[in-house]
Amino acid sequence: MKPNKHLKELDGLRTRLYDPELKRREEENRSYMMHLENRFLLLNFNLEAGRDTSDNIIEGMHGGWEFPTCQLRGHFLGHWLSAAAMRYHAVGDKEIKAKADAIVDELVECQKANGGQWAGPIPEKYLYRIAQGKQVWAPHYTIHKVFMGLLDMYEYAGNETALEIAENFADWFYDWTGRFSREEMNDILDFETGGMLEIWVELFAVTGKEKYKTLMERYYRERLFDPLLRGEDVLTNMHANTTIPEVIGCARAYDVTGDEKWRTIAENYWKLAVTDRGMYATGGQTCGEIWTPMKRLSARLGQKGQEHCTVYNMMRLAGFLFRWTGDPSYADYQERLLYNGLMAQGYWQSTLSHGFTSPYPSHGLLTYFLPMQAGSRKGWSSQKSDFFCCHGTLVQANAAFNRGLYYQSEDTLYVCQYRDSQVTFSIKDTPVTLLQKQDPLTGSSHLASTSSEKQSVLEDTRKYPSQPDCLVPCLKIETAKAVEMTLQIRIPWWIAGEAQILVNGEEIWHGSDAVSFVPLKRTWKDGDVVRILLPKAVKACPLPDDETMTAFLYGPVVLAGLTDEERTLHVPDLSRPEQILVHDNEREWGSWKSTFRTTGQERGIRFIPLHDVGYEPYSIYFPVKSDR
């Protein structure tokens, strides 16, 4: 079968990111990755290959899930290689590529020392044991990360050696899996397989070799996929992140083969995981690493809320579904999880300055879980002593934020996310550049006491005396000659009132049709400007099964109440609890702030964006009670 044609994501050097907060996170991520020494990233691979015979704990070696006695040891390096490849692909970072290339060269030597096929950080006998039904902690999961890193190094960084290692390593699995019957393979696949299916699909796509198609068939997990084909709920109370990578493998298999079976599995999974299940205000659906019951989330507001890995992988799955359908609800979902998942769970930085101090650290690396319980605190991990699974998705998620912003289908460009950026593409051989920049509606570039911006008196300082409650992306077209094309402008789910689109100052469209694309088809000239006004407001987001427990969002951003205990909010109207939140500290220098306080309460509570919470106690959901 031939693969189907779908929307094409414009990533890599074609899309450049300028958003200052996301750029900060990318740079911190790069700094963390470069800080980790190759010797310790490779330690478990060298130990397995007999290339490191140290008899003492080495100062600086990695602990936690990377410690040499942990059965998942070595998983992080695969994530690291993927992140390095993605970083190079996005911005052309030659230094991180050189570090990654050196690691790949060492992996070749490990593979040779292991006999020419095995290139893992764990012994082959772990797989023999699961074939015998013995308990081992997810060897396929660990191995998948290694394959993933190698194939990403080939695809995004052009490292041919990485592909050679992966092909030789795959031969071991082809030989090993050939020993088992279908029923025996089904038993093996009941142990966590991670994204192994996706690996075989990628190798088949790259090489066209039939043995990888055979491995795809062998790694078809009947006990999960067949019920999904029938639309049965196989998720409730089951571990979440074991199956998301498996279904991503199905999604990729549809891309490569065009077989509708794979697409049906992925779409039914999404329906069961998101559409029918409902979600927390953050966009997550899990607690304690398991899927919540359908639309029954109120009994799952615990310390171990959404897991970072599930956030990253569900965003990936949403990307496949968007490319197939062009449905903006998937872009909405990615936006929600960016702010309230990736940004809320990684690379937090304090904004204290001017003599203010805190008893807590000024940075937070990663919080594995996002607590939903009242009066919770985020649990921030260390740089070298933990290495949970989420350390791996942390470095991948923050490697390149220029993904998922723009997609193209022939003469149509989809503008999916609103972040300062630039994308270059072609329409019928005509090069076009679109520059996106938000109008802050502040009338000032004076962003701090240390800035030396010109203090001009501008119209916006008078026009918007208070927080304008509006996101205003502006798109500028640059092209050498006029070009006919369609811009698809996303109107997000969170708009509060009528949105407006202007082209060169003339209104082209207005409306409140959230979760939609507005097509702008015309002949575009150099210098044309599209101005998009997206009004936002605080909205209440109650739990699906308990309308008296509500969270609050400002646009797509969840607001966290800074309190160390559960607090009941008294509201005049249960249908409009958001009315008790009003702006506070709405502006500092030339920046509008997204902070709020309660009114009409015996004791007030301050609300700030969830992604700005560091070490403070906070609550997301609040009981609301009418005073009437």
Side-chain angles (χ1 to χ4, degrees):
M1 297 182 184
K2 294 183 179 180
N4 295 337
K5 290 184 178 180
H6 303 295
L7 300 182
K8 182 179 181 180
E9 182 179 1
L10 301 178
D11 57 7
L13 294 175
R14 290 174 296 189
T15 299
R16 297 187 178 274
L17 182 74
Y18 300 126
D19 181 284
E21 175 58 20
L22 295 183
K23 292 289 288 182
R24 176 191 72 80
R25 291 167 182 269
E26 284 185 351
E27 290 304 317
E28 285 205 21
N29 190 62
R30 181 192 186 277
S31 178
Y32 175 52
M33 291 176 64
M34 294 297 291
H35 176 67
L36 299 173
E37 296 179 42
N38 285 16
R39 178 183 182 183
F40 300 129
L41 288 168
L42 284 158
L43 179 61
N44 290 301
F45 293 84
N46 282 322
L47 288 173
E48 180 59 26
R51 300 179 71 230
D52 192 321
T53 57
S54 305
D55 58 0
N56 287 302
I57 294 177
I58 310 164
E59 184 178 353
M61 70 184 292
H62 300 164
W65 294 12
E66 284 295 299
F67 197 71
T69 56
C70 177
Q71 290 183 333
L72 292 185
R73 60 189 180 272
H75 74 100
F76 179 77
L77 179 62
H79 287 286
W80 190 99
L81 286 172
S82 289
M86 291 161 62
R87 166 79 182 177
Y88 174 73
H89 182 61
V91 299
D93 188 333
K94 294 181 179 179
E95 185 178 12
I96 204 165
K97 181 182 185 299
K99 183 177 173 70
D101 286 340
I103 288 173
V104 170
D105 289 343
E106 289 298 309
L107 290 177
V108 172
E109 299 306 315
C110 289
Q111 189 173 54
K112 290 177 181 176
N114 285 325
Q117 289 186 334
W118 190 259
I122 56 175
E124 300 98 313
K125 63 184 176 183
Y126 280 10
L127 288 161
Y128 299 149
R129 286 178 182 172
I130 64 170
Q132 296 166 359
K134 297 178 180 178
Q135 187 66 40
V136 181
W137 193 9
H140 270 125
Y141 169 89
T142 302
I143 295 302
H144 160 247
K145 307 309 174 192
V146 180
F147 271 112
M148 174 184 64
L150 291 168
L151 291 180
D152 284 344
M153 280 297 295
Y154 169 73
E155 180 179 359
Y156 298 125
N159 189 308
E160 297 279 349
T161 302
L163 178 61
E164 293 173 12
I165 298 171
E167 285 219 69
N168 290 332
F169 200 4
D171 286 342
W172 187 94
F173 282 87
Y174 183 82
D175 295 340
W176 177 67
T177 55
R179 306 172 187 175
F180 304 111
S181 67
R182 179 69 261 175
E183 194 62 23
E184 288 171 330
M185 274 303 297
N186 288 342
D187 289 340
I188 290 170
L189 297 181
D190 275 348
F191 289 85
E192 185 174 355
T193 62
M196 293 299 291
L197 174 60
E198 185 182 8
I199 296 306
W200 310 137
V201 175
E202 288 295 339
L203 282 169
F204 177 62
V206 169
T207 69
K209 295 179 181 178
E210 284 297 313
K211 63 181 176 181
Y212 299 124
K213 198 168 185 180
T214 299
L215 280 167
M216 288 167 56
E217 294 164 358
R218 291 174 183 174
Y219 276 76
Y220 180 88
R221 192 179 172 197
E222 289 181 353
R223 294 171 186 172
L224 173 67
F225 297 159
D226 286 354
L228 282 171
L229 283 169
R230 297 190 294 268
E232 298 174 9
D233 179 15
V234 289
L235 302 186
T236 297
N237 288 331
M238 296 299 292
H239 188 270
N241 203 49
T242 55
T243 54
I244 305 171
E246 291 177 301
V247 172
I248 288 175
C250 295
R252 183 67 181 125
Y254 173 66
D255 273 353
V256 172
T257 69
D259 187 338
E260 290 289 336
K261 167 187 68 179
W262 299 113
R263 176 169 176 164
T264 300
I265 293 170
E267 291 181 330
N268 285 355
Y269 187 91
W270 184 271
K271 182 174 184 292
L272 290 166
V274 181
T275 309
D276 293 347
R277 197 163 304 276
M279 67 179 77
Y280 295 108
T282 58
Q285 295 87 10
T286 63
C287 180
E289 296 197 7
I290 63 172
W291 293 108
T292 56
M294 296 278 194
K295 300 291 176 68
R296 285 187 283 168
L297 281 64
S298 61
R300 305 285 174 104
L301 299 178
Q303 287 281 355
K304 296 180 175 64
Q306 68 187 25
E307 180 190 7
H308 185 279
C309 282
T310 65
V311 169
Y312 177 70
N313 285 323
M314 287 299 286
M315 288 179 73
R316 282 197 67 206
L317 181 57
F320 282 95
L321 296 169
F322 177 75
R323 284 194 297 100
W324 299 344
T325 66
D327 185 337
S329 66
Y330 298 117
D332 281 342
Y333 184 83
Q334 290 181 314
E335 178 185 49
R336 191 191 290 237
L337 282 181
L338 171 71
Y339 286 111
N340 309 306
L342 300 186
M343 291 175 66
Q345 293 180 250
Y347 293 112
W348 171 79
Q349 178 176 283
S350 171
T351 56
L352 289 178
S353 62
H354 298 82
F356 291 98
T357 60
S358 169
Y360 304 113
S362 61
H363 289 75
L365 179 66
L366 162 74
T367 178
Y368 186 145
F369 298 107
L370 184 68
M372 298 284 178
Q373 187 173 304
S376 295
R377 294 177 187 266
K378 297 177 182 178
W380 296 104
S381 66
S382 66
Q383 286 197 343
K384 295 184 179 180
S385 299
D386 296 304
F387 286 104
F388 312 126
C389 52
C390 297
H391 274 255
T393 51
L394 172 80
V395 295
Q396 282 184 267
N398 290 271
F401 283 114
N402 66 341
R403 295 172 175 240
L405 276 66
Y406 305 99
Y407 293 80
Q408 185 177 2
S409 175
E410 298 179 346
D411 62 351
T412 300
L413 180 76
Y414 289 76
V415 180
C416 292
Q417 303 296 340
Y418 296 116
R419 286 185 270 288
D420 289 0
S421 55
Q422 175 183 298
V423 62
T424 301
F425 55 102
S426 293
I427 300 293
K428 297 178 181 177
D429 298 325
T430 299
V432 181
T433 295
L434 182 146
L435 179 65
Q436 177 181 166
K437 187 173 178 60
Q438 290 188 28
D439 182 346
L441 305 180
T442 62
S444 172
S445 299
H446 188 204
L447 302 180
S449 61
T450 55
S451 65
S452 58
E453 295 292 334
K454 185 177 180 181
Q455 299 298 297
S456 301
V457 177
L458 300 174
E459 181 184 355
D460 278 354
T461 58
R462 297 186 298 271
K463 187 175 181 182
Y464 302 104
S466 300
Q467 166 64 268
D469 292 320
C470 196
L471 181 69
V472 185
C474 297
L475 315 176
K476 182 179 180 182
I477 301 293
E478 296 177 355
T479 178
K481 63 179 182 179
V483 59
E484 184 177 331
M485 67 175 180
T486 300
L487 291 182
Q488 291 279 8
I489 306 299
R490 181 174 69 94
I491 306 300
W493 69 272
W494 47 260
I495 61 167
E498 287 214 336
Q500 186 182 29
I501 300 176
L502 302 94
V503 176
N504 299 330
E506 178 185 351
E507 182 181 277
I508 300 298
W509 177 90
H510 71 271
S512 55
D513 299 331
V515 194
S516 66
F517 277 108
V518 174
L520 304 181
K521 183 177 181 179
R522 59 190 288 145
T523 299
W524 298 89
K525 302 182 295 297
D526 186 59
D528 283 348
V529 174
V530 180
R531 186 175 174 86
I532 308 160
L533 289 83
L534 302 172
K536 57 183 178 178
V538 176
K539 288 187 177 183
C541 182
L543 288 167
D545 57 327
D546 186 353
E547 292 191 355
T548 68
M549 288 291 288
T550 192
F552 301 92
L553 295 97
Y554 182 53
V557 176
V558 171
L559 299 173
L562 301 182
T563 173
D564 60 1
E565 61 182 355
E566 182 172 86
R567 298 272 299 277
T568 298
L569 300 178
H570 297 271
V571 300
D573 183 354
L574 276 176
S575 68
R576 298 289 307 279
E578 65 272 9
Q579 291 180 329
I580 65 167
L581 265 64
V582 297
H583 283 289
D584 79 331
N585 190 40
E586 67 177 6
R587 182 159 175 148
E588 291 180 357
W589 293 287
S591 298
W592 294 115
K593 311 299 286 185
S594 302
T595 58
F596 299 83
R597 60 179 172 83
T598 56
T599 61
Q601 310 302 303
E602 184 176 342
R603 290 184 297 152
I605 304 174
R606 188 159 185 262
F607 282 75
I608 67 174
L610 179 61
H611 59 70
D612 285 343
V613 173
Y615 291 82
E616 312 98 314
Y618 70 93
S619 296
I620 294 175
Y621 282 95
F622 291 82
V624 292
K625 183 178 180 181
S626 175
D627 287 332
R628 293 178 181 176

